[in-house]
Amino acid sequence: MAGQKDKLFNYWVFFQSITHGTATSLINFFMTLSVSHGTAEPLSLSDYQSFSEVVAISCLLSVTIEVILTTNYWTVLFMLAIFFSLCSYVVISWASQSYQLFRISPKTFPFLYADRNVISHPSNLLVVLLNVSVNTLSLLALRVIGQALKKPHLKEEEEELPAEEIITMESVPYLPRESRVRRSSYAFSHREGYADLIT
């Protein structure tokens, strides 16, 4: 069990997640900033709401594509979760930039239809495509390099084991209660949790 052997969440996985999230955010921000620098067209990314829409769409699509690429087991629940997350983004952005909310509180919702203006301009869609491509290709490149470096190491370990010495153990009729080798994730979280990482 991967969860009981501390493979799903440990300091290394936490560090990788923080580094990956920071790199994705920086790529989305600075790629959009470098493309929009010096443009003054009416439909360009010169205002910060259009800029933030492009960065938000880039982040959403980057994360969604990475989740789709890293998923091993596809279920109906998984597909519904992806579909509803995309739909909820569209509904919330449409509602927060609608004329009805602008009429109620113009100071709180001052940007009318900014998402439609961004999506209707082809150059903005190319910026989103560039951001998603850079994020996804860098992730795939790192995974291919990691797999290439792991495979020779595993083959060396297999060669080191002698084929003649096979150690067999007698089956134990019960699992001792005080065993530290296998514990439930509930017991693990209460004894040695990762609260110091999160808080």
Side-chain angles (χ1 to χ4, degrees), residues 8-199:
L8 298 178
F9 189 74
N10 53 34
Y11 289 106
W12 177 243
V13 172
F14 185 73
F15 175 73
Q16 285 178 331
S17 299
I18 292 293
T19 305
H20 178 64
T22 304
T24 300
S25 299
L26 290 175
I27 287 172
N28 285 333
F29 180 79
F30 285 111
M31 291 290 282
T32 307
L33 183 67
S34 65
V35 168
S36 66
H37 184 69
T39 58
E41 301 173 5
L43 293 175
S44 68
L45 300 174
S46 56
D47 63 314
Y48 65 89
Q49 182 61 26
S50 299
F51 181 83
S52 66
E53 282 292 324
V54 169
V55 171
I57 292 171
S58 299
C59 285
L60 176 75
L61 293 179
S62 296
V63 169
T64 303
I65 289 175
E66 289 173 14
V67 166
I68 288 171
L69 289 175
T70 58
T71 300
N72 293 330
Y73 304 105
W74 285 77
T75 62
V76 174
L77 185 62
F78 175 74
M79 290 187 285
L80 287 174
I82 288 180
F83 177 73
F84 283 127
S85 68
L86 293 174
C87 288
S88 64
Y89 173 78
V90 170
V91 168
I92 289 171
S93 64
W94 173 79
S96 65
Q97 298 171 9
S98 65
Y99 181 69
Q100 290 80 13
L101 289 177
F102 176 74
R103 259 188 351 193
I104 294 170
S105 178
K107 289 183 180 179
T108 307
F109 303 102
F111 303 105
L112 287 174
Y113 308 116
D115 56 347
R116 294 180 193 171
N117 293 337
V118 167
I119 291 174
S120 65
H121 203 345
S123 65
N124 294 338
L125 295 177
L126 288 175
V127 172
V128 170
L129 182 65
L130 176 68
N131 288 340
V132 172
S133 300
V134 168
N135 286 325
T136 306
L137 291 177
S138 62
L139 175 74
L140 289 176
L142 287 174
R143 291 202 176 172
V144 166
I145 291 170
Q147 291 295 328
L149 294 177
K150 281 184 183 178
K151 284 185 179 178
H153 181 67
L154 291 176
K155 288 179 183 176
E156 290 172 4
E157 288 179 0
E158 290 176 1
E159 291 174 0
E160 289 177 4
L161 293 175
E164 298 173 4
E165 297 180 22
I166 298 176
I167 301 172
T168 59
M169 295 181 64
E170 294 181 23
S171 62
V172 179
Y174 65 93
L175 186 64
R177 289 196 177 268
E178 293 300 320
S179 173
R180 291 194 157 286
V181 178
R182 292 189 59 161
R183 292 182 297 185
S184 68
S185 60
Y186 179 77
F188 179 78
S189 67
H190 282 282
R191 177 172 269 179
E192 304 173 15
Y194 291 102
D196 57 337
L197 277 176
I198 298 169
T199 58

